[in-house]
Amino acid sequence: MMHLQLLAIAVISSIIFFLCRRRRLPVLLLDYSCHLPDPERRCTLDLFEYICLRSRLFNPESSSFMTSIFCKSGLSKETYTPPYLFQPPLLLSSKHPLAIQEAEEGLFAAVSSLLNKTDVPPEKISHLIVACSMFSPTPSLTSMLVRRFGFTDSVKTYNLSGMGCSGGTTCIDLATRLLSQNHGYALVAVTESNGINWYFGNDRNMLIPNCIFRVGSAAVLLTSDPTLRDSAKMEILHTLRTHHGTDDSAYKAGYQMEDADGNLGIAISKDLVRVAAVGLKRHVSLLASQVLPLSEIARYAFKVVLSYMTGNRKAIASHVPDFMKAFDHVCIHAGGKAVIEAMGKSLRLGNDVMEPARMTLHRFGNTSSSLVFYELAYLEAKGRVKEGDRIWMLAFGTGFKACTIVLRVLKDSSIDSANPWSHCVSRYPIS
């Protein structure tokens, strides 16, 4: 019955979408940049174990547990840690200045690279949007960028926090909505604060983020100026955001809290993979009507109805639309090895489609809101992005949220020196 309801919703939504959509300005993605930290910040297993030992705040069981998670996580020895963890000795009482340093290093580098590539002066930027889920200083991160790059007094600034790994795609959605109404430029900058949020306790659910979250930042420049179409890389075709926070298990899948000893951290629920799968199913049921060709919707509807009429309930649950009929590439949330595998299985996506997510997790770890842009950079570095291709960006966030961005490529990709994969892409993919 649920599948028939979802089918009805998809059909009705499709009709409403085509009948009621109003004319809006096309929004173009001019370019983007991803930050590549200094090699000295690499987090090998030896360094990770040394940091844990030096803190003297983990019991032997916790240290052993984190080592095990690190080794099974799918992360390589080339991911990057924040400056806070390199301070000798580990300063538990002086986190804020180092959190500012971490934010400045990532955001300044990404934005500077992007402005240089696009040759767009800061005074042309009408909207500045920054996402950082776990760090919201005063003055704000947007104010930090305004001061550094000299944006005009009239620039509209937005700071998004608490969005988790969906922060980057959520920023693109917000920028698209703003630009679709008026001509202008929107600069999106996304990062995360890892050092200030390292957990120093012994709750296993709260130790996991220490093992998988790493440093990463990205900046994206969007415009609704149609005269720049020839110089733009891509066009935003669709955005979709869904929120599943009314369900308690979804709301607490990733939860900031204090442990029994008062140590602050993020608890990752054992139910996370199931929650993500359920949220994904609801999200894509709405997305299908916007992106799938009518032939695929009809094929899927026929299979569901036929299974329902024959009473084959198991077959109903197994039917999934073929989203690769709508997309050429997928940049899906690479939150962890188990999450990637679960998403691939739920959507019936092959290993080749999931390759960018797995390789990005391996090379850079979970960089939170900037993840999908490192995946896009991987595809470009591989020379796979061609004019006319459609790209699906999908990210999940705490709360529990899902956000989709659909892009159409306007020109063939080419790797540049600022691409974070430029020096190592020949080594990938790995098994």
Side-chain angles (χ1 to χ4, degrees), residues 32 40 71 79 97 131 133 210 212 218 290-291 302 331 343 348 378 400-401 404 410 422 431:
Y32 67 99
E40 293 77 14
C71 294
T79 62
S133 187
N210 290 357
I212 62 174
Q290 296 186 30
V291 300
F302 175 76
C331 299
M343 297 304 98
R348 306 289 195 271
Y378 176 82
F400 181 85
K401 299 175 284 290
T404 277
L410 300 179
S422 60
S431 58

Tab-separated table of all heavy atoms in Angstrom, residues 32 40 71 79 97 131 133 210 212 218 290-291 302 331 343 348 378 400-401 404 410 422 431:
chain	number	residue	atom	x	y	z
A	32	TYR	N	34.206	26.117	-9.054
A	32	TYR	CA	34.313	25.780	-7.638
A	32	TYR	C	35.755	25.424	-7.332
A	32	TYR	O	36.560	25.138	-8.239
A	32	TYR	CB	33.387	24.607	-7.280
A	32	TYR	CG	33.803	23.304	-7.913
A	32	TYR	CD1	34.528	22.350	-7.190
A	32	TYR	CD2	33.499	23.024	-9.247
A	32	TYR	CE1	34.928	21.167	-7.780
A	32	TYR	CE2	33.898	21.851	-9.846
A	32	TYR	CZ	34.609	20.925	-9.118
A	32	TYR	OH	35.021	19.751	-9.705
A	40	GLU	N	51.962	18.278	5.656
A	40	GLU	CA	52.355	18.078	7.053
A	40	GLU	C	51.168	17.767	7.957
A	40	GLU	O	51.344	17.312	9.092
A	40	GLU	CB	53.074	19.328	7.581
A	40	GLU	CG	54.419	19.606	6.949
A	40	GLU	CD	54.317	20.213	5.561
A	40	GLU	OE1	53.193	20.661	5.193
A	40	GLU	OE2	55.335	20.238	4.842
A	71	CYS	N	41.081	1.549	11.063
A	71	CYS	CA	41.574	0.564	10.099
A	71	CYS	C	40.471	0.009	9.207
A	71	CYS	O	40.729	-0.401	8.066
A	71	CYS	CB	42.273	-0.575	10.827
A	71	CYS	SG	43.790	-0.092	11.683
A	79	THR	N	44.585	11.433	4.666
A	79	THR	CA	43.583	12.403	5.087
A	79	THR	C	44.242	13.451	5.983
A	79	THR	O	45.388	13.280	6.414
A	79	THR	CB	42.438	11.713	5.845
A	79	THR	OG1	42.981	11.092	7.026
A	79	THR	CG2	41.776	10.634	4.985
A	97	PRO	N	41.089	29.739	19.571
A	97	PRO	CA	41.991	30.343	18.581
A	97	PRO	C	42.388	29.372	17.474
A	97	PRO	O	42.534	29.768	16.313
A	97	PRO	CB	43.215	30.760	19.420
A	97	PRO	CG	42.700	30.874	20.811
A	97	PRO	CD	41.646	29.814	20.937
A	131	ALA	N	28.558	27.717	5.352
A	131	ALA	CA	28.047	26.632	6.191
A	131	ALA	C	29.188	26.017	6.984
A	131	ALA	O	30.221	25.653	6.420
A	131	ALA	CB	27.365	25.555	5.346
A	133	SER	N	28.860	23.417	10.359
A	133	SER	CA	27.857	22.845	11.256
A	133	SER	C	28.190	23.029	12.726
A	133	SER	O	27.316	23.328	13.532
A	133	SER	CB	27.686	21.350	10.949
A	133	SER	OG	26.616	20.810	11.690
A	210	ASN	N	35.737	10.876	15.784
A	210	ASN	CA	37.191	11.087	15.819
A	210	ASN	C	37.895	10.304	14.714
A	210	ASN	O	38.936	10.725	14.197
A	210	ASN	CB	37.774	10.636	17.158
A	210	ASN	CG	37.381	11.536	18.312
A	210	ASN	OD1	36.714	12.548	18.129
A	210	ASN	ND2	37.793	11.169	19.513
A	212	ILE	N	36.623	9.225	11.650
A	212	ILE	CA	36.254	9.378	10.234
A	212	ILE	C	36.187	10.819	9.745
A	212	ILE	O	36.309	11.058	8.549
A	212	ILE	CB	34.911	8.679	9.929
A	212	ILE	CG1	33.771	9.310	10.732
A	212	ILE	CG2	35.017	7.180	10.197
A	212	ILE	CD1	32.395	8.749	10.350
A	218	ALA	N	35.366	23.886	0.754
A	218	ALA	CA	35.104	24.126	-0.662
A	218	ALA	C	34.413	25.462	-0.837
A	218	ALA	O	33.773	25.973	0.088
A	218	ALA	CB	34.246	23.007	-1.253
A	290	GLN	N	10.505	14.642	-10.606
A	290	GLN	CA	11.180	15.794	-11.197
A	290	GLN	C	12.245	15.413	-12.212
A	290	GLN	O	12.539	16.186	-13.124
A	290	GLN	CB	11.833	16.636	-10.096
A	290	GLN	CG	10.861	17.260	-9.113
A	290	GLN	CD	11.569	18.192	-8.136
A	290	GLN	OE1	12.587	18.797	-8.454
A	290	GLN	NE2	11.037	18.313	-6.934
A	291	VAL	N	12.828	14.223	-12.061
A	291	VAL	CA	14.008	13.917	-12.867
A	291	VAL	C	13.865	12.721	-13.794
A	291	VAL	O	14.525	12.673	-14.840
A	291	VAL	CB	15.237	13.714	-11.949
A	291	VAL	CG1	15.513	14.966	-11.142
A	291	VAL	CG2	15.060	12.514	-11.031
A	302	PHE	N	4.334	0.082	-13.478
A	302	PHE	CA	3.807	-1.207	-13.944
A	302	PHE	C	4.277	-2.345	-13.043
A	302	PHE	O	3.486	-3.222	-12.659
A	302	PHE	CB	4.259	-1.453	-15.387
A	302	PHE	CG	3.874	-2.797	-15.924
A	302	PHE	CD1	2.570	-3.060	-16.325
A	302	PHE	CD2	4.817	-3.823	-16.008
A	302	PHE	CE1	2.216	-4.308	-16.812
A	302	PHE	CE2	4.467	-5.069	-16.488
A	302	PHE	CZ	3.155	-5.318	-16.897
A	331	CYS	N	27.204	12.026	-7.152
A	331	CYS	CA	28.082	12.416	-6.032
A	331	CYS	C	27.237	12.259	-4.772
A	331	CYS	O	26.511	13.177	-4.379
A	331	CYS	CB	28.558	13.857	-6.188
A	331	CYS	SG	29.534	14.175	-7.672
A	343	MET	N	23.641	3.048	0.732
A	343	MET	CA	23.022	3.894	-0.297
A	343	MET	C	23.096	3.233	-1.670
A	343	MET	O	22.139	3.263	-2.444
A	343	MET	CB	23.715	5.251	-0.346
A	343	MET	CG	23.605	6.089	0.929
A	343	MET	SD	21.906	6.384	1.476
A	343	MET	CE	21.727	5.115	2.729
A	348	ARG	N	20.274	0.617	-5.925
A	348	ARG	CA	20.703	-0.322	-6.970
A	348	ARG	C	21.757	0.319	-7.883
A	348	ARG	O	21.699	0.217	-9.116
A	348	ARG	CB	19.509	-0.789	-7.816
A	348	ARG	CG	18.355	-1.379	-7.027
A	348	ARG	CD	18.700	-2.741	-6.431
A	348	ARG	NE	17.518	-3.452	-5.980
A	348	ARG	CZ	17.000	-3.347	-4.762
A	348	ARG	NH1	17.587	-2.556	-3.870
A	348	ARG	NH2	15.920	-4.026	-4.420
A	378	TYR	N	36.818	14.793	-8.302
A	378	TYR	CA	37.351	13.493	-8.715
A	378	TYR	C	36.891	13.144	-10.132
A	378	TYR	O	37.684	12.722	-10.980
A	378	TYR	CB	36.906	12.415	-7.739
A	378	TYR	CG	37.329	11.012	-8.112
A	378	TYR	CD1	38.601	10.552	-7.817
A	378	TYR	CD2	36.451	10.144	-8.760
A	378	TYR	CE1	39.007	9.263	-8.166
A	378	TYR	CE2	36.837	8.859	-9.110
A	378	TYR	CZ	38.118	8.422	-8.814
A	378	TYR	OH	38.505	7.145	-9.166
A	400	PHE	N	16.773	14.652	10.808
A	400	PHE	CA	17.654	14.126	9.771
A	400	PHE	C	17.216	14.734	8.441
A	400	PHE	O	16.025	14.752	8.147
A	400	PHE	CB	17.554	12.592	9.755
A	400	PHE	CG	18.420	11.901	8.762
A	400	PHE	CD1	19.728	11.587	9.055
A	400	PHE	CD2	17.928	11.557	7.517
A	400	PHE	CE1	20.532	10.923	8.134
A	400	PHE	CE2	18.720	10.889	6.595
A	400	PHE	CZ	20.020	10.575	6.903
A	401	LYS	N	18.143	15.236	7.644
A	401	LYS	CA	17.815	15.937	6.422
A	401	LYS	C	18.451	15.264	5.215
A	401	LYS	O	19.475	14.604	5.324
A	401	LYS	CB	18.323	17.381	6.500
A	401	LYS	CG	17.708	18.195	7.629
A	401	LYS	CD	18.330	19.574	7.740
A	401	LYS	CE	19.693	19.541	8.375
A	401	LYS	NZ	19.657	19.214	9.809
A	404	THR	N	19.145	17.311	-2.374
A	404	THR	CA	19.572	16.962	-3.725
A	404	THR	C	19.836	18.218	-4.543
A	404	THR	O	19.077	19.188	-4.471
A	404	THR	CB	18.495	16.126	-4.436
A	404	THR	OG1	18.625	14.750	-4.061
A	404	THR	CG2	18.615	16.199	-5.959
A	410	LEU	N	27.769	22.041	-18.903
A	410	LEU	CA	27.733	22.914	-20.074
A	410	LEU	C	28.980	22.811	-20.934
A	410	LEU	O	28.992	23.298	-22.069
A	410	LEU	CB	27.531	24.365	-19.629
A	410	LEU	CG	26.242	24.642	-18.839
A	410	LEU	CD1	26.175	26.108	-18.436
A	410	LEU	CD2	25.014	24.258	-19.642
A	422	SER	N	44.715	16.543	-8.544
A	422	SER	CA	45.617	16.670	-9.698
A	422	SER	C	46.926	15.900	-9.525
A	422	SER	O	47.488	15.419	-10.501
A	422	SER	CB	45.913	18.151	-9.967
A	422	SER	OG	46.538	18.760	-8.842
A	431	SER	N	41.114	-0.797	-5.215
A	431	SER	CA	40.135	-1.837	-4.877
A	431	SER	C	39.767	-1.776	-3.415
A	431	SER	O	40.518	-1.237	-2.596
A	431	SER	CB	40.701	-3.212	-5.209
A	431	SER	OG	41.911	-3.429	-4.524
